[in-house]
Amino acid sequence: MSHAANLDKKYIWHPFTQMKDWIKQKPIVICEGKGAVLKDDQGNKYLDANSSIWTNLHGHAHPVLNKAIQGQLTRISHSSGLGLANEPSSFLSQKLTRAAHPASSARWNNMVRLKKVFYSDNGSTAMEVALKLAYEAARRTRGIRHPGFVSVKGGYHGDTVGAVSVGHIDLFHKSFSGLLFKSKSVMSPYCYRCPHNRATPERQDARDYRKCKWECLDPVESAFRTRGGNSRTRKPAAMVVEPLMQGAAGMIPQPKGWLSRVAEIVRGQGAFLIADEVMTGFGRTGTLFASHQEKVQPDFMVLAKGLTGGYLPMAATLMTQEVFDAFLGDYGEFKTFFHGHSYFGNQLGSAVADASLGLLSLPDNRRKRKNLEKELRRLLKGLWVLPQVGDIRQVGLIAGIELVKDWKSRLSFPLKDQAGIRVCQKMAEKGVLTRPIGNVVLLMPPYCTTIAQVRKMVRVLEESVTEVFNQT
Ligand SMILES: *Cc1c(COP(=O)(O)O)cnc(C)c1O
Protein backbone atom coordinates (compact mmCIF):
# COMPACT_ATOMS: atom_id res chain seq x y z
CA MET A 1 0.00 0.00 0.00
CA SER A 2 1.25 3.47 -0.83
CA HIS A 3 2.33 6.05 1.75
CA ALA A 4 -0.76 8.16 1.04
CA ALA A 5 -3.03 5.14 1.51
CA ASN A 6 -1.42 4.38 4.87
CA LEU A 7 -1.77 7.96 6.04
CA ASP A 8 -5.38 8.05 4.92
CA LYS A 9 -6.19 4.97 6.95
CA LYS A 10 -4.31 6.34 9.90
CA TYR A 11 -5.89 9.82 9.96
CA ILE A 12 -8.97 10.31 7.80
CA TRP A 13 -12.60 9.71 8.68
CA HIS A 14 -14.54 9.43 5.41
CA PRO A 15 -18.09 10.71 4.86
CA PHE A 16 -21.05 8.33 4.91
CA THR A 17 -18.62 5.44 5.44
CA GLN A 18 -18.51 2.60 7.94
CA MET A 19 -14.89 3.09 8.88
CA LYS A 20 -14.62 -0.44 10.27
CA ASP A 21 -15.01 -1.67 6.69
CA TRP A 22 -12.81 1.08 5.28
CA ILE A 23 -9.75 0.25 7.37
CA LYS A 24 -9.93 -3.37 6.25
CA GLN A 25 -9.67 -2.37 2.59
CA LYS A 26 -6.99 -0.93 0.39
CA PRO A 27 -8.22 2.52 -0.66
CA ILE A 28 -8.01 3.76 -4.22
CA VAL A 29 -5.82 6.88 -4.08
CA ILE A 30 -6.73 9.19 -6.95
CA CYS A 31 -3.89 11.35 -8.15
CA GLU A 32 -4.83 12.51 -11.62
CA GLY A 33 -7.86 13.15 -13.78
CA LYS A 34 -8.41 13.99 -17.43
CA GLY A 35 -11.83 14.21 -19.02
CA ALA A 36 -13.95 11.33 -17.72
CA VAL A 37 -10.90 9.33 -16.61
CA LEU A 38 -9.42 9.16 -13.11
CA LYS A 39 -5.99 7.69 -12.42
CA ASP A 40 -4.78 6.22 -9.13
CA ASP A 41 -1.31 6.15 -7.62
CA GLN A 42 -0.77 2.61 -8.92
CA GLY A 43 -1.32 3.75 -12.50
CA ASN A 44 -4.81 2.20 -12.81
CA LYS A 45 -7.37 4.10 -14.82
CA TYR A 46 -11.09 4.38 -14.04
CA LEU A 47 -14.10 6.01 -15.63
CA ASP A 48 -15.69 8.59 -13.32
CA ALA A 49 -19.22 7.24 -13.77
CA ASN A 50 -20.82 9.39 -11.07
CA SER A 51 -19.02 12.63 -11.95
CA SER A 52 -17.20 12.60 -8.58
CA ILE A 53 -20.43 12.53 -6.59
CA TRP A 54 -22.50 14.59 -9.00
CA THR A 55 -20.17 17.59 -9.04
CA ASN A 56 -18.18 17.39 -12.26
CA LEU A 57 -19.69 18.64 -15.51
CA HIS A 58 -17.12 19.04 -18.27
CA GLY A 59 -14.54 16.49 -17.15
CA HIS A 60 -11.35 16.76 -15.14
CA ALA A 61 -8.48 19.11 -16.05
CA HIS A 62 -10.58 20.89 -18.65
CA PRO A 63 -8.32 23.41 -20.44
CA VAL A 64 -10.85 26.26 -20.33
CA LEU A 65 -11.62 25.80 -16.62
CA ASN A 66 -7.96 25.33 -15.73
CA LYS A 67 -7.14 28.54 -17.54
CA ALA A 68 -9.89 30.46 -15.74
CA ILE A 69 -8.46 29.43 -12.37
CA GLN A 70 -4.84 30.01 -13.40
CA GLY A 71 -5.72 33.48 -14.69
CA GLN A 72 -7.48 34.40 -11.47
CA LEU A 73 -4.73 32.84 -9.37
CA THR A 74 -2.16 35.32 -10.64
CA ARG A 75 -4.37 38.19 -9.45
CA ILE A 76 -5.95 37.10 -6.14
CA SER A 77 -7.44 33.89 -4.74
CA HIS A 78 -9.66 35.28 -2.04
CA SER A 79 -10.69 38.46 -0.33
CA SER A 80 -13.60 38.80 2.04
CA GLY A 81 -17.16 39.41 0.91
CA LEU A 82 -17.77 41.15 4.25
CA GLY A 83 -17.55 44.83 3.44
CA LEU A 84 -15.82 44.28 0.10
CA ALA A 85 -16.89 43.53 -3.44
CA ASN A 86 -14.83 41.67 -6.03
CA GLU A 87 -14.87 41.33 -9.78
CA PRO A 88 -15.42 37.61 -10.43
CA SER A 89 -18.39 37.27 -8.04
CA SER A 90 -20.02 40.40 -9.50
CA PHE A 91 -19.68 39.06 -13.04
CA LEU A 92 -20.90 35.62 -12.00
CA SER A 93 -23.97 36.99 -10.22
CA GLN A 94 -25.13 38.75 -13.36
CA LYS A 95 -24.60 35.58 -15.40
CA LEU A 96 -26.42 33.39 -12.87
CA THR A 97 -29.49 35.60 -12.58
CA ARG A 98 -29.64 35.85 -16.39
CA ALA A 99 -29.24 32.09 -16.79
CA ALA A 100 -32.11 31.61 -14.36
CA HIS A 101 -34.44 33.33 -16.87
CA PRO A 102 -34.52 31.59 -20.23
CA ALA A 103 -36.14 33.63 -22.99
CA SER A 104 -39.33 31.56 -22.94
CA SER A 105 -39.88 32.21 -19.22
CA ALA A 106 -41.59 35.55 -19.85
CA ARG A 107 -44.74 33.63 -20.81
CA TRP A 108 -44.88 31.29 -17.82
CA ASN A 109 -47.62 31.35 -15.20
CA ASN A 110 -46.82 32.83 -11.83
CA MET A 111 -43.53 34.06 -13.13
CA VAL A 112 -41.30 35.46 -10.43
CA ARG A 113 -37.82 36.80 -11.04
CA LEU A 114 -34.70 35.68 -9.25
CA LYS A 115 -32.77 38.87 -8.76
CA LYS A 116 -30.26 38.43 -5.97
CA VAL A 117 -27.49 35.99 -5.17
CA PHE A 118 -26.14 34.97 -1.76
CA TYR A 119 -22.95 32.90 -1.80
CA SER A 120 -21.81 30.12 0.48
CA ASP A 121 -19.63 27.01 0.34
CA ASN A 122 -21.77 23.95 -0.36
CA GLY A 123 -25.26 22.68 -0.99
CA SER A 124 -26.09 22.35 2.69
CA THR A 125 -25.13 25.92 3.54
CA ALA A 126 -26.94 27.25 0.45
CA MET A 127 -30.03 25.43 1.73
CA GLU A 128 -29.60 26.94 5.22
CA VAL A 129 -29.58 30.37 3.61
CA ALA A 130 -32.83 29.65 1.75
CA LEU A 131 -34.50 28.24 4.87
CA LYS A 132 -33.53 31.15 7.11
CA LEU A 133 -34.54 33.72 4.50
CA ALA A 134 -37.86 32.02 3.76
CA TYR A 135 -38.60 31.75 7.48
CA GLU A 136 -37.95 35.38 8.23
CA ALA A 137 -39.47 36.70 4.98
CA ALA A 138 -42.66 34.78 5.70
CA ARG A 139 -42.85 36.34 9.15
CA ARG A 140 -42.23 39.83 7.81
CA THR A 141 -44.23 39.84 4.58
CA ARG A 142 -46.83 37.12 4.91
CA GLY A 143 -47.82 37.56 8.53
CA ILE A 144 -47.02 33.98 9.54
CA ARG A 145 -45.97 33.96 13.18
CA HIS A 146 -44.42 30.49 13.30
CA PRO A 147 -43.48 29.54 9.75
CA GLY A 148 -42.89 25.88 9.02
CA PHE A 149 -41.67 23.87 6.06
CA VAL A 150 -43.04 21.13 3.84
CA SER A 151 -40.77 18.75 1.98
CA VAL A 152 -40.91 15.42 0.23
CA LYS A 153 -40.33 11.95 1.73
CA GLY A 154 -36.91 10.69 0.81
CA GLY A 155 -35.84 14.28 0.21
CA TYR A 156 -32.20 15.14 0.78
CA HIS A 157 -30.98 18.70 1.12
CA GLY A 158 -27.65 18.34 2.87
CA ASP A 159 -26.19 17.42 6.23
CA THR A 160 -26.22 20.61 8.31
CA VAL A 161 -28.89 20.67 11.00
CA GLY A 162 -31.36 22.88 9.15
CA ALA A 163 -30.94 20.99 5.89
CA VAL A 164 -31.41 17.68 7.71
CA SER A 165 -34.59 19.05 9.32
CA VAL A 166 -36.23 19.32 5.90
CA GLY A 167 -34.71 16.01 4.76
CA HIS A 168 -36.58 12.77 5.09
CA ILE A 169 -34.22 9.83 4.71
CA ASP A 170 -34.65 7.81 7.89
CA LEU A 171 -31.35 5.98 7.59
CA PHE A 172 -29.37 9.24 7.53
CA HIS A 173 -31.54 11.46 9.65
CA LYS A 174 -33.08 9.40 12.43
CA SER A 175 -30.20 9.49 14.87
CA PHE A 176 -30.25 13.29 14.88
CA SER A 177 -34.00 13.68 15.29
CA GLY A 178 -33.60 15.26 18.73
CA LEU A 179 -31.58 18.09 17.22
CA LEU A 180 -33.94 18.99 14.40
CA PHE A 181 -36.83 21.38 13.94
CA LYS A 182 -40.07 19.81 12.83
CA SER A 183 -41.11 19.84 9.19
CA LYS A 184 -44.02 18.23 7.39
CA SER A 185 -43.35 15.58 4.81
CA VAL A 186 -45.51 14.61 1.85
CA MET A 187 -45.36 11.42 -0.16
CA SER A 188 -42.79 11.15 -2.88
CA PRO A 189 -44.13 10.55 -6.41
CA TYR A 190 -42.22 7.26 -6.51
CA CYS A 191 -44.20 5.63 -9.33
CA TYR A 192 -42.31 2.33 -9.22
CA ARG A 193 -43.46 1.75 -5.65
CA CYS A 194 -46.69 3.76 -5.74
CA PRO A 195 -49.17 2.55 -3.10
CA HIS A 196 -52.02 3.77 -5.32
CA ASN A 197 -51.05 1.76 -8.35
CA ARG A 198 -49.91 -1.74 -7.64
CA ALA A 199 -50.60 -3.25 -11.05
CA THR A 200 -48.11 -6.05 -11.64
CA PRO A 201 -46.43 -5.56 -14.97
CA GLU A 202 -46.51 -8.31 -17.57
CA ARG A 203 -43.05 -7.46 -18.70
CA GLN A 204 -40.20 -6.20 -16.64
CA ASP A 205 -39.92 -2.96 -18.60
CA ALA A 206 -43.65 -2.25 -18.78
CA ARG A 207 -44.84 0.22 -16.19
CA ASP A 208 -48.49 1.06 -16.13
CA TYR A 209 -49.30 4.48 -14.69
CA ARG A 210 -52.53 4.93 -16.61
CA LYS A 211 -54.67 4.63 -13.53
CA CYS A 212 -52.88 7.50 -11.88
CA LYS A 213 -55.22 10.15 -10.50
CA TRP A 214 -52.45 12.26 -8.99
CA GLU A 215 -53.17 10.88 -5.53
CA CYS A 216 -49.68 12.00 -4.55
CA LEU A 217 -50.82 15.62 -4.71
CA ASP A 218 -53.50 15.28 -2.02
CA PRO A 219 -50.94 15.25 0.82
CA VAL A 220 -49.37 18.40 -0.62
CA GLU A 221 -52.71 20.18 -0.45
CA SER A 222 -53.44 18.95 3.06
CA ALA A 223 -49.99 19.91 4.30
CA PHE A 224 -50.97 23.53 3.74
CA ARG A 225 -54.42 23.18 5.25
CA THR A 226 -54.28 24.41 8.83
CA ARG A 227 -56.81 23.68 11.52
CA GLY A 228 -58.88 26.16 13.52
CA GLY A 229 -58.36 29.86 14.04
CA ASN A 230 -54.59 29.92 14.03
CA SER A 231 -54.27 29.46 10.30
CA ARG A 232 -52.10 32.55 9.96
CA THR A 233 -49.93 31.84 12.94
CA ARG A 234 -48.93 28.25 12.13
CA LYS A 235 -48.51 27.82 8.42
CA PRO A 236 -45.87 26.43 6.15
CA ALA A 237 -43.71 29.26 4.88
CA ALA A 238 -42.29 27.23 2.05
CA MET A 239 -42.13 23.91 0.32
CA VAL A 240 -38.73 22.46 -0.55
CA VAL A 241 -38.39 20.25 -3.62
CA GLU A 242 -35.71 18.64 -5.71
CA PRO A 243 -37.13 19.44 -9.16
CA LEU A 244 -37.68 16.59 -11.67
CA MET A 245 -35.67 14.02 -9.75
CA GLN A 246 -35.03 13.26 -6.11
CA GLY A 247 -31.36 12.37 -5.85
CA ALA A 248 -30.27 10.74 -2.61
CA ALA A 249 -33.74 9.18 -2.27
CA GLY A 250 -32.54 6.81 -5.00
CA MET A 251 -32.93 8.78 -8.22
CA ILE A 252 -36.71 9.06 -8.19
CA PRO A 253 -38.09 10.97 -11.16
CA GLN A 254 -41.32 12.92 -10.91
CA PRO A 255 -44.05 12.19 -13.44
CA LYS A 256 -44.48 14.97 -15.97
CA GLY A 257 -46.69 17.68 -14.49
CA TRP A 258 -45.97 16.92 -10.82
CA LEU A 259 -43.70 19.90 -10.25
CA SER A 260 -45.91 22.45 -11.98
CA ARG A 261 -48.94 21.22 -10.05
CA VAL A 262 -47.01 21.39 -6.77
CA ALA A 263 -45.85 24.90 -7.62
CA GLU A 264 -49.43 25.93 -8.22
CA ILE A 265 -50.57 24.56 -4.86
CA VAL A 266 -47.70 26.18 -2.99
CA ARG A 267 -48.18 29.57 -4.64
CA GLY A 268 -51.94 29.35 -4.19
CA GLN A 269 -51.29 29.08 -0.46
CA GLY A 270 -49.07 32.13 -0.43
CA ALA A 271 -46.01 30.06 0.42
CA PHE A 272 -42.55 30.15 -1.14
CA LEU A 273 -41.20 27.46 -3.40
CA ILE A 274 -37.59 26.48 -2.71
CA ALA A 275 -36.03 24.51 -5.58
CA ASP A 276 -32.99 22.53 -4.51
CA GLU A 277 -31.16 22.35 -7.83
CA VAL A 278 -27.92 21.23 -6.21
CA MET A 279 -27.94 17.98 -8.17
CA THR A 280 -30.23 18.87 -11.06
CA GLY A 281 -28.74 22.25 -11.99
CA PHE A 282 -26.33 23.15 -14.77
CA GLY A 283 -27.57 20.99 -17.61
CA ARG A 284 -27.82 17.67 -15.77
CA THR A 285 -31.46 17.16 -16.69
CA GLY A 286 -31.27 18.56 -20.22
CA THR A 287 -32.18 22.18 -19.55
CA LEU A 288 -29.84 24.48 -17.66
CA PHE A 289 -32.12 24.21 -14.60
CA ALA A 290 -34.59 21.39 -14.02
CA SER A 291 -37.46 23.58 -12.76
CA HIS A 292 -37.67 25.24 -16.15
CA GLN A 293 -38.72 22.05 -17.90
CA GLU A 294 -42.01 22.39 -16.03
CA LYS A 295 -42.16 26.13 -16.67
CA VAL A 296 -41.66 26.70 -12.96
CA GLN A 297 -39.61 29.52 -11.52
CA PRO A 298 -39.08 29.02 -7.78
CA ASP A 299 -38.78 31.82 -5.21
CA PHE A 300 -35.44 30.38 -4.13
CA MET A 301 -33.02 28.42 -6.26
CA VAL A 302 -30.31 26.54 -4.40
CA LEU A 303 -27.15 25.81 -6.39
CA ALA A 304 -23.91 24.04 -5.54
CA LYS A 305 -22.21 20.85 -6.80
CA GLY A 306 -21.98 21.66 -10.53
CA LEU A 307 -21.76 25.43 -10.01
CA THR A 308 -17.97 25.41 -10.37
CA GLY A 309 -17.97 22.57 -12.88
CA GLY A 310 -16.90 20.31 -10.03
CA TYR A 311 -13.70 22.21 -9.31
CA LEU A 312 -14.16 24.10 -6.07
CA PRO A 313 -16.57 24.11 -3.12
CA MET A 314 -18.88 27.02 -3.77
CA ALA A 315 -22.64 27.50 -3.64
CA ALA A 316 -25.24 30.12 -4.39
CA THR A 317 -28.78 30.82 -3.25
CA LEU A 318 -30.83 32.86 -5.72
CA MET A 319 -33.92 34.66 -4.51
CA THR A 320 -36.54 37.23 -5.47
CA GLN A 321 -36.65 40.98 -4.97
CA GLU A 322 -39.56 40.45 -2.54
CA VAL A 323 -37.37 38.41 -0.21
CA PHE A 324 -34.49 40.87 -0.55
CA ASP A 325 -36.74 43.82 0.22
CA ALA A 326 -38.01 42.19 3.41
CA PHE A 327 -34.54 42.69 4.87
CA LEU A 328 -34.19 46.36 3.97
CA GLY A 329 -34.58 49.01 6.64
CA ASP A 330 -32.76 51.69 8.60
CA TYR A 331 -29.69 50.32 10.35
CA GLY A 332 -31.28 50.61 13.79
CA GLU A 333 -34.23 48.46 12.77
CA PHE A 334 -31.77 45.54 12.56
CA LYS A 335 -33.52 43.93 9.64
CA THR A 336 -30.11 42.87 8.28
CA PHE A 337 -29.65 39.23 7.32
CA PHE A 338 -27.18 38.26 10.04
CA HIS A 339 -25.59 35.34 8.26
CA GLY A 340 -22.43 34.79 6.25
CA HIS A 341 -19.45 32.57 5.57
CA SER A 342 -15.74 33.42 5.45
CA TYR A 343 -15.32 32.39 1.82
CA PHE A 344 -18.38 34.31 0.56
CA GLY A 345 -18.02 35.08 -3.15
CA ASN A 346 -14.60 33.42 -3.42
CA GLN A 347 -12.76 34.67 -6.50
CA LEU A 348 -11.29 31.38 -7.71
CA GLY A 349 -14.66 29.66 -7.39
CA SER A 350 -16.47 32.53 -9.10
CA ALA A 351 -13.97 32.63 -11.97
CA VAL A 352 -14.29 28.92 -12.69
CA ALA A 353 -18.09 28.98 -12.28
CA ASP A 354 -18.25 31.80 -14.82
CA ALA A 355 -16.11 29.81 -17.28
CA SER A 356 -18.24 26.70 -16.72
CA LEU A 357 -21.44 28.62 -17.49
CA GLY A 358 -19.74 29.82 -20.65
CA LEU A 359 -19.05 26.24 -21.72
CA LEU A 360 -22.63 25.20 -20.96
CA SER A 361 -24.01 27.83 -23.30
CA LEU A 362 -22.00 26.63 -26.31
CA PRO A 363 -24.23 24.92 -28.92
CA ASP A 364 -21.67 22.15 -29.31
CA ASN A 365 -21.79 21.43 -25.57
CA ARG A 366 -25.58 21.14 -25.69
CA ARG A 367 -25.47 18.88 -28.72
CA LYS A 368 -22.94 16.54 -27.11
CA ARG A 369 -24.99 16.34 -23.91
CA LYS A 370 -28.09 15.47 -25.90
CA ASN A 371 -26.29 12.73 -27.85
CA LEU A 372 -24.79 11.27 -24.72
CA GLU A 373 -28.18 11.26 -23.04
CA LYS A 374 -29.75 9.45 -26.01
CA GLU A 375 -27.00 6.87 -26.12
CA LEU A 376 -27.26 6.25 -22.37
CA ARG A 377 -31.01 5.74 -22.71
CA ARG A 378 -30.55 3.30 -25.56
CA LEU A 379 -27.87 1.32 -23.74
CA LEU A 380 -29.77 1.12 -20.46
CA LYS A 381 -32.69 -0.58 -22.22
CA GLY A 382 -30.40 -3.59 -22.59
CA LEU A 383 -30.38 -4.04 -18.79
CA TRP A 384 -34.09 -4.85 -18.49
CA VAL A 385 -33.36 -8.54 -19.21
CA LEU A 386 -31.39 -8.90 -15.97
CA PRO A 387 -33.70 -10.44 -13.35
CA GLN A 388 -32.22 -8.22 -10.60
CA VAL A 389 -33.00 -5.02 -12.47
CA GLY A 390 -36.33 -3.83 -11.12
CA ASP A 391 -36.44 -0.32 -12.47
CA ILE A 392 -34.38 1.91 -14.70
CA ARG A 393 -34.87 5.63 -14.19
CA GLN A 394 -33.25 8.33 -16.24
CA VAL A 395 -33.63 12.09 -16.41
CA GLY A 396 -31.11 13.76 -18.69
CA LEU A 397 -27.68 12.53 -17.69
CA ILE A 398 -28.76 11.06 -14.37
CA ALA A 399 -29.63 7.38 -14.23
CA GLY A 400 -30.58 5.11 -11.34
CA ILE A 401 -30.87 1.35 -11.72
CA GLU A 402 -32.85 -0.20 -8.87
CA LEU A 403 -31.77 -3.72 -8.01
CA VAL A 404 -34.40 -6.07 -6.59
CA LYS A 405 -34.55 -9.69 -5.41
CA ASP A 406 -37.30 -10.42 -7.87
CA TRP A 407 -38.52 -8.05 -10.58
CA LYS A 408 -42.06 -9.41 -10.54
CA SER A 409 -42.76 -8.83 -6.86
CA ARG A 410 -40.37 -5.84 -6.70
CA LEU A 411 -39.08 -7.26 -3.44
CA SER A 412 -36.06 -5.29 -2.24
CA PHE A 413 -32.77 -6.69 -1.05
CA PRO A 414 -32.31 -6.04 2.67
CA LEU A 415 -29.88 -3.11 3.04
CA LYS A 416 -27.45 -5.21 5.06
CA ASP A 417 -26.98 -7.49 2.03
CA GLN A 418 -25.13 -4.54 0.46
CA ALA A 419 -26.37 -5.44 -3.03
CA GLY A 420 -25.56 -1.99 -4.42
CA ILE A 421 -22.20 -1.80 -2.66
CA ARG A 422 -21.14 -5.21 -3.97
CA VAL A 423 -22.06 -4.32 -7.55
CA CYS A 424 -20.14 -1.05 -7.32
CA GLN A 425 -17.08 -2.80 -5.87
CA LYS A 426 -17.14 -5.20 -8.79
CA MET A 427 -17.48 -2.26 -11.19
CA ALA A 428 -14.43 -0.59 -9.62
CA GLU A 429 -12.40 -3.76 -10.23
CA LYS A 430 -13.41 -3.43 -13.86
CA GLY A 431 -12.38 0.22 -14.09
CA VAL A 432 -15.68 2.06 -13.55
CA LEU A 433 -16.20 4.13 -10.40
CA THR A 434 -19.62 4.94 -9.02
CA ARG A 435 -21.48 4.69 -5.71
CA PRO A 436 -24.85 3.19 -4.93
CA ILE A 437 -27.71 4.60 -2.91
CA GLY A 438 -28.90 1.52 -1.08
CA ASN A 439 -29.99 -0.86 -3.84
CA VAL A 440 -29.85 1.76 -6.56
CA VAL A 441 -26.72 1.95 -8.71
CA LEU A 442 -26.08 5.31 -10.31
CA LEU A 443 -24.67 6.35 -13.62
CA MET A 444 -24.05 10.05 -14.02
CA PRO A 445 -21.33 10.59 -16.60
CA PRO A 446 -19.51 13.89 -17.05
CA TYR A 447 -20.68 15.71 -20.20
CA CYS A 448 -17.37 15.09 -21.95
CA THR A 449 -17.83 11.30 -21.75
CA THR A 450 -17.36 9.73 -25.17
CA ILE A 451 -19.80 7.21 -26.66
CA ALA A 452 -17.17 4.47 -26.24
CA GLN A 453 -16.77 5.41 -22.56
CA VAL A 454 -20.51 5.40 -21.81
CA ARG A 455 -20.76 2.01 -23.51
CA LYS A 456 -18.07 0.74 -21.18
CA MET A 457 -19.92 2.12 -18.14
CA VAL A 458 -23.11 0.27 -19.03
CA ARG A 459 -21.33 -2.91 -20.11
CA VAL A 460 -19.38 -3.05 -16.85
CA LEU A 461 -22.57 -2.45 -14.87
CA GLU A 462 -24.26 -5.32 -16.69
CA GLU A 463 -21.31 -7.69 -16.18
CA SER A 464 -21.02 -6.75 -12.53
CA VAL A 465 -24.71 -7.36 -11.76
CA THR A 466 -24.45 -10.71 -13.53
CA GLU A 467 -21.29 -11.74 -11.70
CA VAL A 468 -22.36 -10.54 -8.27
CA PHE A 469 -25.64 -12.44 -8.48
CA ASN A 470 -23.92 -15.40 -10.10
CA GLN A 471 -25.67 -15.62 -13.41
CA THR A 472 -24.16 -16.91 -16.60
C1 LIG B 1 -25.55 17.00 -2.55
C2 LIG B 1 -26.85 17.65 -2.32
C3 LIG B 1 -27.01 18.60 -1.31
C4 LIG B 1 -25.90 18.94 -0.34
O1 LIG B 1 -24.81 19.51 -0.96
P1 LIG B 1 -23.37 19.49 -0.24
O2 LIG B 1 -22.53 20.34 -1.10
O3 LIG B 1 -22.93 18.06 -0.20
O4 LIG B 1 -23.56 20.05 1.13
C5 LIG B 1 -28.23 19.23 -1.18
N1 LIG B 1 -29.24 18.93 -2.01
C6 LIG B 1 -29.13 18.03 -2.99
C7 LIG B 1 -30.29 17.77 -3.89
C8 LIG B 1 -27.94 17.34 -3.18
O5 LIG B 1 -27.85 16.41 -4.13
Side-chain angles (χ1 to χ4, degrees):
M1 217 169 13
S2 68
H3 188 46
N6 279 321
L7 293 180
D8 175 288
K9 282 169 68 155
K10 190 157 179 207
Y11 293 111
I12 296 183
W13 186 342
H14 285 265
F16 284 96
T17 302
Q18 179 41 260
M19 293 306 289
K20 190 177 164 196
D21 293 335
W22 178 270
I23 50 182
K24 279 189 254 165
Q25 290 160 9
K26 207 171 109 190
I28 296 172
V29 181
I30 297 297
C31 52
E32 267 176 63
K34 178 86 191 144
V37 177
L38 295 169
K39 215 161 111 183
D40 72 11
D41 63 354
Q42 311 295 307
N44 299 310
K45 286 181 179 171
Y46 306 87
L47 289 174
D48 188 0
N50 73 350
S51 293
S52 296
I53 286 287
W54 324 350
T55 57
N56 194 285
L57 303 183
H58 311 288
H60 299 278
H62 192 286
V64 173
L65 303 186
N66 285 9
K67 200 165 148 242
I69 292 186
Q70 281 155 356
Q72 183 58 43
L73 199 54
T74 58
R75 307 189 67 199
I76 187 169
S77 297
H78 182 71
S79 61
S80 174
L82 278 151
L84 295 170
N86 72 60
E87 289 171 336
S89 70
S90 304
F91 301 150
L92 176 63
S93 306
Q94 182 188 40
K95 286 228 175 94
L96 280 175
T97 51
R98 283 189 178 163
H101 297 91
S104 59
S105 65
R107 296 188 304 275
W108 298 351
N109 291 335
N110 292 319
M111 183 52 190
V112 296
R113 296 195 73 84
L114 299 169
K115 292 252 176 124
K116 301 286 174 182
V117 185
F118 195 99
Y119 289 106
S120 57
D121 313 335
N122 58 65
S124 312
T125 54
M127 182 53 62
E128 299 288 335
V129 168
L131 293 175
K132 280 187 173 177
L133 288 176
Y135 176 84
E136 191 53 23
R139 280 160 51 92
R140 292 181 187 180
T141 68
R142 314 244 159 138
I144 304 174
R145 205 134 29 106
H146 303 289
F149 293 92
V150 180
S151 47
V152 185
K153 287 227 165 73
Y156 175 79
H157 304 288
D159 293 328
T160 51
V161 170
V164 170
S165 296
V166 292
H168 299 284
I169 298 181
D170 281 353
L171 179 68
F172 299 171
H173 299 157
K174 215 172 171 174
S175 46
F176 307 113
S177 61
L179 268 178
L180 310 177
F181 63 77
K182 280 209 160 51
S183 70
K184 287 187 183 176
S185 67
V186 297
M187 76 176 283
S188 163
Y190 188 1
C191 298
Y192 178 59
R193 298 191 182 281
C194 182
H196 302 289
N197 183 9
R198 291 183 184 276
T200 314
E202 293 296 306
R203 294 196 335 269
Q204 206 169 347
D205 60 339
R207 302 266 167 270
D208 182 9
Y209 305 137
R210 273 170 303 171
K211 283 183 289 174
C212 172
K213 295 195 193 71
W214 293 106
E215 290 93 338
C216 55
L217 291 175
D218 298 341
V220 180
E221 299 222 16
S222 42
F224 285 92
R225 225 174 282 138
T226 37
R227 259 175 282 131
N230 62 350
S231 64
R232 290 214 73 72
T233 55
R234 282 198 182 278
K235 247 187 107 156
M239 174 148 173
V240 187
V241 294
E242 293 163 79
L244 294 195
M245 191 177 230
Q246 283 185 285
M251 298 306 165
I252 298 171
Q254 294 145 14
K256 202 165 161 17
W258 183 86
L259 182 65
S260 57
R261 287 172 162 90
V262 164
E264 216 162 282
I265 296 169
V266 171
R267 293 266 166 66
Q269 294 291 335
F272 296 117
L273 184 68
I274 301 176
D276 178 351
E277 294 250 12
V278 172
M279 174 187 77
T280 54
F282 303 104
R284 263 295 154 197
T285 66
T287 40
L288 195 55
F289 299 111
S291 308
H292 297 166
Q293 277 183 48
E294 292 260 326
K295 298 187 166 60
V296 166
Q297 185 70 307
D299 301 278
F300 294 88
M301 195 187 266
V302 179
L303 302 171
K305 290 196 174 104
L307 171 64
T308 60
Y311 268 57
L312 287 164
M314 185 181 199
T317 309
L318 273 56
M319 75 291 293
T320 59
Q321 188 75 42
E322 182 202 356
V323 172
F324 181 76
D325 287 348
F327 290 79
L328 298 182
D330 292 330
Y331 185 81
E333 293 178 78
F334 301 115
K335 285 180 149 187
T336 309
F337 182 40
F338 292 106
H339 181 111
H341 300 286
S342 312
Y343 282 95
F344 184 102
N346 173 260
Q347 281 100 322
L348 288 179
S350 299
V352 72
D354 196 322
S356 172
L357 270 176
L359 289 176
L360 285 169
S361 67
L362 297 176
D364 189 48
N365 186 289
R366 272 185 243 161
R367 201 164 40 240
K368 283 204 174 120
R369 258 187 282 149
K370 196 119 226 130
N371 285 341
L372 187 60
E373 177 189 334
K374 252 174 55 191
E375 184 64 9
L376 180 61
R377 201 174 294 281
R378 194 184 70 76
L379 292 165
L380 288 176
K381 282 205 182 107
L383 301 182
W384 283 115
V385 296
L386 299 174
Q388 289 83 15
V389 168
D391 200 15
I392 300 175
R393 305 187 278 265
Q394 185 184 351
V395 174
L397 282 172
I398 311 169
I401 293 92
E402 182 162 342
L403 303 173
V404 289
K405 262 191 154 154
D406 168 38
W407 71 266
K408 220 157 198 170
S409 64
R410 305 183 191 184
L411 194 68
S412 298
F413 289 105
L415 268 189
K416 63 171 177 36
D417 282 8
Q418 303 191 319
I421 293 175
R422 284 187 292 144
V423 167
C424 290
Q425 277 168 351
K426 183 62 83 181
M427 288 174 75
E429 287 167 23
K430 294 169 179 285
V432 175
L433 293 180
T434 184
R435 278 179 71 88
I437 300 168
N439 296 322
V440 181
V441 177
L442 317 183
L443 287 183
M444 203 159 165
Y447 305 161
C448 66
T449 304
T450 63
I451 298 297
Q453 286 170 330
V454 77
R455 282 187 189 147
K456 179 170 178 186
M457 288 176 189
V458 177
R459 192 186 69 236
V460 163
L461 171 58
E462 178 171 1
E463 288 172 7
S464 302
V465 171
T466 308
E467 286 171 33
V468 163
F469 302 106
N470 235 336
Q471 256 87 47
T472 43

